[in-house]
Amino acid sequence: QKEVEQNSGPLSVPEGAIASLNCTYSDRGSQSFFWYRQYSGKSPELIMSIYSNGDKEDGRFTAQLNKASQYVSLLIRDSQPSDSATYLCAVINAGNNRKLIWGLGTSLAVNP
Amino acid sequence: EAGVTQSPTHLIKTRGQQATLRCSPISGHTSVYWYQQALGLGLQFLLWYDEGEERNRGNFPPRFSGRQFPNYSSELNVNALELEDSALYLCASSRSDRGYTFGSGTRLTVV
């Protein structure tokens, strides 16, 4: 079992819709969770971090964490074509407070 | 606050040569991470340096090496370059468990 799993996609949504991206992780003791956005040929950019159960909202982005079920999700409201990118989920495992464990990413396409 | 800076932006080398890539972390960040990302593929962890020491190493051959200097900047050296080393090399820095900040990367092309 991979430590951090994401559907590779592509996930295709129409402009203005809600895009829902999901990520599961295997280490039950994981403490810190991150979503990065990566445009083709560019470096990853941190867009959301979440550390406790529940929802965290920042503009059009909402991160949701459920430690009991070991999943973290990212919702993008009012999706725009500029949101088309690969979204990477990353987790810091218990006992290692620095090293990120990465998923392979979900490709999102927002269609005008 | 200045971000993570990497140099050079692009690097073209011939097979068998050596490449040196450089990274300056955000001020106050003591950890530096190196990743390789081949075209269309995911991030492959290379090296992690913290406080001048190598903390962790990914599944790469010994010809990939690096170091971290007292000012926390870092360099990645790749010896005996092979065609498959062509990739985007990303450096990131962090200070705690608050995630990484990435530089813009160095595009290495081996011909």
Side-chain angles (χ1 to χ4, degrees):
Chain A
Q1 181 190 12
K2 294 180 181 177
E3 294 183 87
V4 178
E5 295 202 54
Q6 299 179 251
N7 288 326
S8 61
L11 173 65
S12 183
V13 300
E15 184 175 355
I18 296 175
S20 178
L21 304 160
N22 298 310
C23 171
T24 59
Y25 59 94
S26 60
D27 185 347
R28 184 169 290 278
S30 296
Q31 301 293 321
S32 306
F33 307 86
F34 307 90
W35 283 100
Y36 284 78
R37 177 178 62 199
Q38 187 176 26
Y39 294 111
S40 180
K42 302 296 184 182
S43 59
E45 174 191 11
L46 178 64
I47 55 172
M48 289 291 286
S49 57
I50 188 166
Y51 305 97
S52 56
N53 278 329
D55 294 0
K56 178 181 178 182
E57 186 174 317
D58 183 1
R60 296 187 297 111
F61 298 100
T62 298
Q64 299 175 317
L65 175 61
N66 185 321
K67 290 186 177 182
S69 300
Q70 294 177 238
Y71 82 79
V72 56
S73 62
L74 179 70
L75 301 178
I76 306 175
R77 291 181 299 282
D78 188 24
S79 295
Q80 301 297 309
S82 59
D83 295 325
S84 299
T86 296
Y87 289 81
L88 299 163
C89 173
V91 173
I92 293 180
N93 286 345
N96 187 341
N97 69 351
R98 297 287 187 93
K99 185 180 176 184
L100 285 178
I101 309 298
W102 296 87
L104 294 180
T106 298
S107 175
L108 172 66
V110 181
N111 305 308
Chain B
E1 176 181 75
V4 178
T5 57
Q6 290 188 245
S7 63
T9 305
H10 295 87
L11 190 58
I12 300 175
K13 293 285 187 178
T14 57
R15 193 168 49 183
Q17 283 189 314
Q18 178 194 31
T20 298
L21 288 64
R22 296 181 176 83
C23 173
S24 293
I26 289 173
S27 178
H29 287 194
T30 61
S31 280
V32 170
Y33 310 83
W34 287 96
Y35 285 85
Q36 181 196 66
Q37 189 172 36
L39 193 62
L41 298 182
L43 295 170
Q44 299 296 317
F45 170 70
L46 270 164
L47 290 159
W48 167 19
Y49 291 97
D50 182 58
E51 299 283 359
E53 300 288 331
E54 182 180 302
R55 301 297 185 186
N56 200 206
R57 181 182 180 87
N59 188 24
F60 280 84
R63 58 191 185 82
F64 287 83
S65 65
R67 55 180 170 165
Q68 187 177 34
F69 299 99
N71 66 353
Y72 303 117
S73 67
S74 176
E75 67 180 29
L76 173 69
N77 294 293
V78 187
N79 293 320
L81 285 165
E82 301 178 1
L83 296 178
E84 52 264 35
D85 296 333
S86 296
L88 179 66
Y89 288 83
L90 293 164
C91 172
S93 73
S94 76
R95 184 173 54 189
S96 63
D97 64 343
R98 299 304 180 185
Y100 299 173
T101 302
F102 283 87
S104 299
T106 294
R107 173 75 62 186
L108 173 63
T109 302
V110 183
V111 297

